[in-house]
Amino acid sequence: MPRVISIHEYELKPGVSGEAFEQAARDAERRGLFDLPGLVGHHFLRGLKGARRGAYTALWIFESRDAWERLWGTVDAPVRASDYPPRWKIWENDVLAPLLDQDPDTIRFTSYEEV
């Protein structure tokens, strides 16, 4: 069964250090905020070369499209932010939002299905 991989691109607020973002991500992991049904892996990355050098990205790996849709809805009918899983709302609203230059729900992202 093909997995779904979502790539989220984060732009930090001016004055927010990469170290602060990295520590927040580690703290969120320790708190279990990414323990979501169907999420089988995640990686936080910092660009080394190219257009996103020094910028942060996360890869979210879901076991299947069905698992991804149970969390986020379908492509044509996504769930509302108010209906996100409770742990994800803490991640976005309490941890991530203070670090980003925009609302976490409006970041640039792409979700891919393995072929």
Side-chain angles (χ1 to χ4, degrees):
M1 183 170 285
R3 296 180 299 177
V4 169
I5 301 168
S6 290
I7 300 172
H8 293 190
E9 297 180 2
Y10 302 127
E11 301 297 335
L12 302 182
K13 282 182 186 174
V16 172
S17 69
E19 293 80 19
F21 176 83
E22 292 171 25
Q23 184 62 51
R26 285 191 297 273
D27 290 346
E29 288 172 333
R30 189 173 49 255
R31 292 171 61 190
L33 298 183
F34 309 134
D35 294 340
L36 302 173
L39 181 65
V40 296
H42 67 279
H43 303 278
F44 290 98
L45 310 166
R46 183 180 60 240
L48 291 177
K49 184 178 178 182
R52 296 206 29 89
R53 183 175 183 194
Y56 289 90
T57 297
L59 300 178
W60 305 98
I61 305 166
F62 298 89
E63 66 187 8
S64 65
R65 185 169 183 165
D66 186 54
W68 178 78
E69 287 179 345
R70 281 194 304 270
L71 288 171
W72 313 118
T74 65
V75 171
D76 296 325
V79 300
R80 297 183 322 249
S82 61
D83 294 327
Y84 288 171
R87 289 180 178 147
W88 192 261
K89 287 193 272 190
I90 294 169
W91 161 244
E92 279 201 342
N93 299 328
D94 299 344
V95 178
L96 198 54
L99 304 173
L100 299 185
D101 71 351
Q102 66 189 92
D103 182 291
D105 215 35
T106 64
I107 63 164
R108 183 175 162 167
F109 77 95
T110 305
S111 295
Y112 297 89
E113 189 169 31
E114 286 183 320
V115 295

